[in-house]
């Protein structure tokens, strides 16, 4: 009698299970007072779990900039004509700005109405060192990195993004002479995606560790206060995904929102997992 092998759990399912387990363990440690026990805090929360969580966070950061550079440079470099980049870039920029303006305006309106952060104590006596954001002139004048290597080293995402776009455009303009570079970028993109797969293989353990630490330290009262904020952000994101984007797509392109949602499903799952 043959038995059908069980289908392995998807990465999304594994992460959801890890989130639930981390929440449950963290809450148990907090309610029982074990989170404050020197042995538990030193060896478990600030020891083993912190090591696992920090390693996972660092692994995510490690692959972010290579993923941005290689995927963008590879995508732009694969275009056959420079004019394609102008048309695609212009439409993408317009769509991005319009959707961003709408989402920010709607979010500010709901934030003013519901006050989601009210009652949340982010730590008594802890002064927040919040620096003023750079001016628009400063941001625009430093978009192009004077030293691309330094942009990678300092984690400047915007500069890496601009460098990737310019590099990809240079590949397109170079024509046949850049075919080896285009082939190298394609191969490198495959390698980077494998790196992402390696990191995501341990994602459930990292999520479990990080969530256990957070819940154990916060406690139920703080979680309840944060719940309003969490639910509001989640509802706004879902509204943006299922209302704003489909409406804009239908109005400006005539594309079926159902087809669009089906096409981006793997990307959404990947984004949630990371």
């Amino acid at each position: 009698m043959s038995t059908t092998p069980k289908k392995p759990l998807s990465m999304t399912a594994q992460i959801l299970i890890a989130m639930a387990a981390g929440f449950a363990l963290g809450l148990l440690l907090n309610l029982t007072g074990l989170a404050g026990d020197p042995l538990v805090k030193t060896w478990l929360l600030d020891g083993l779990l912190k090591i696992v969580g920090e390693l996972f966070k660092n692994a995510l950061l490690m692959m972010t900039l290579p993923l941005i550079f290689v995927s963008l440079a590879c995508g732009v470099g694969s275009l056959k004509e420079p004019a394609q980049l102008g048309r695609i870039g212009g439409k993408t920029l317009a769509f991005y700005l319009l959707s961003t303006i709408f989402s920010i305006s709607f979010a500010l309106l709901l934030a003013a109405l519901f006050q989601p952060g009210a009652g949340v104590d982010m730590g008594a006596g802890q002064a927040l060192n919040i620096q003023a954001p750079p001016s628009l002139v400063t941001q625009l004048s430093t978009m192009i990195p004077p030293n691309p290597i330094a942009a990678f080293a300092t984690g400047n995402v915007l500069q890496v993004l601009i460098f990737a776009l310019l590099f990809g455009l240079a590949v397109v303009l170079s024509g046949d002479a850049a075919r080896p570079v285009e082939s190298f970028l394609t191969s490198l993109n495959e390698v980077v995606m494998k790196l992402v797969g390696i990191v995501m293989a341990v994602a459930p353990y990292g999520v479990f560790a990080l969530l256990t630490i957070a819940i154990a330290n916060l406690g139920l009262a703080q979680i309840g206060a944060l719940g309003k904020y969490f639910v509001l952000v989640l509802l706004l994101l879902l509204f943006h995904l299922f209302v704003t984007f489909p409406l804009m797509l239908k109005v400006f392109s005539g594309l079926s929102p159902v087809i669009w949602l089906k096409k981006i499903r793997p990307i959404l799952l990947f984004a949630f997992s990371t």
Side-chain angles (χ1 to χ4, degrees):
M1 182 178 178
S2 62
T3 57
T4 305
K6 291 184 179 181
K7 186 179 179 180
L9 289 174
S10 66
M11 179 56 64
T12 303
Q14 293 180 42
I15 290 178
L16 288 173
I17 293 172
M19 290 173 64
F23 186 93
L25 178 59
L27 191 60
L28 176 65
L29 292 175
N30 183 273
L31 294 177
T32 58
L34 288 174
D37 181 80
L39 188 62
V40 173
K41 187 169 181 59
T42 301
W43 292 99
L44 183 63
L45 295 178
D46 293 341
L48 177 62
L49 293 180
K50 185 174 182 179
I51 291 173
V52 174
E54 289 298 319
L55 286 176
F56 175 61
K57 286 198 298 183
N58 290 339
L60 285 179
L61 294 173
M62 172 191 71
M63 72 181 185
T64 300
L65 290 181
L67 180 62
I68 291 173
F69 173 77
V70 175
S71 59
L72 280 177
C74 186
V76 174
S78 64
L79 297 176
K80 301 304 178 186
E81 297 292 337
Q84 287 181 292
L85 179 61
R87 289 194 298 270
I88 295 173
K91 292 179 179 179
T92 302
L93 181 61
F95 186 88
Y96 172 76
L97 290 176
L98 189 60
S99 63
T100 300
I101 290 171
F102 180 83
S103 61
I104 290 176
S105 302
F106 193 54
L108 289 174
L109 175 63
L110 292 186
L113 290 175
F114 293 101
Q115 299 290 323
V120 178
D121 181 13
M122 297 304 293
Q126 293 182 1
L128 296 178
N129 184 21
I130 301 176
Q131 298 179 349
S135 66
L136 180 61
V137 173
T138 301
Q139 293 185 56
L140 293 177
S141 61
T142 57
M143 285 195 308
I144 297 179
N147 185 343
I149 305 300
F152 277 95
T154 57
N156 193 316
V157 175
L158 179 60
Q159 289 188 348
V160 172
L161 188 149
I162 297 298
F163 177 62
L165 292 175
L166 293 175
F167 191 89
L169 179 60
V171 171
V172 175
L173 295 175
S174 299
D176 292 337
R179 293 294 172 260
V181 178
E182 183 181 342
S183 177
F184 172 74
L185 285 174
T186 302
S187 299
L188 188 59
N189 188 52
E190 291 294 326
V191 173
V192 171
M193 291 309 297
K194 288 295 182 184
L195 173 62
V196 172
I198 293 172
V199 173
M200 293 315 301
V202 298
Y205 305 101
V207 169
F208 170 78
L210 292 171
L211 202 55
T212 300
I213 295 172
I215 301 301
N217 291 330
L218 282 174
L220 198 57
Q222 285 287 69
I223 295 169
L226 287 171
K228 187 177 179 182
Y229 168 80
F230 174 81
V231 171
L232 184 61
V233 171
L234 181 61
L235 290 177
L236 280 168
L237 292 174
L238 292 175
F239 182 85
H240 198 50
L241 174 62
F242 291 109
V243 178
T244 307
F245 278 152
L247 185 61
M248 292 180 64
L249 284 169
K250 192 65 178 178
V251 171
F252 294 110
S253 69
L255 180 67
S256 169
V258 176
I259 294 176
W260 175 72
L261 287 169
K262 287 182 179 179
K263 293 289 186 181
I264 67 168
R265 182 176 178 275
I267 300 172
L268 292 176
L269 293 177
F270 176 77
F272 171 79
S273 299
T274 52

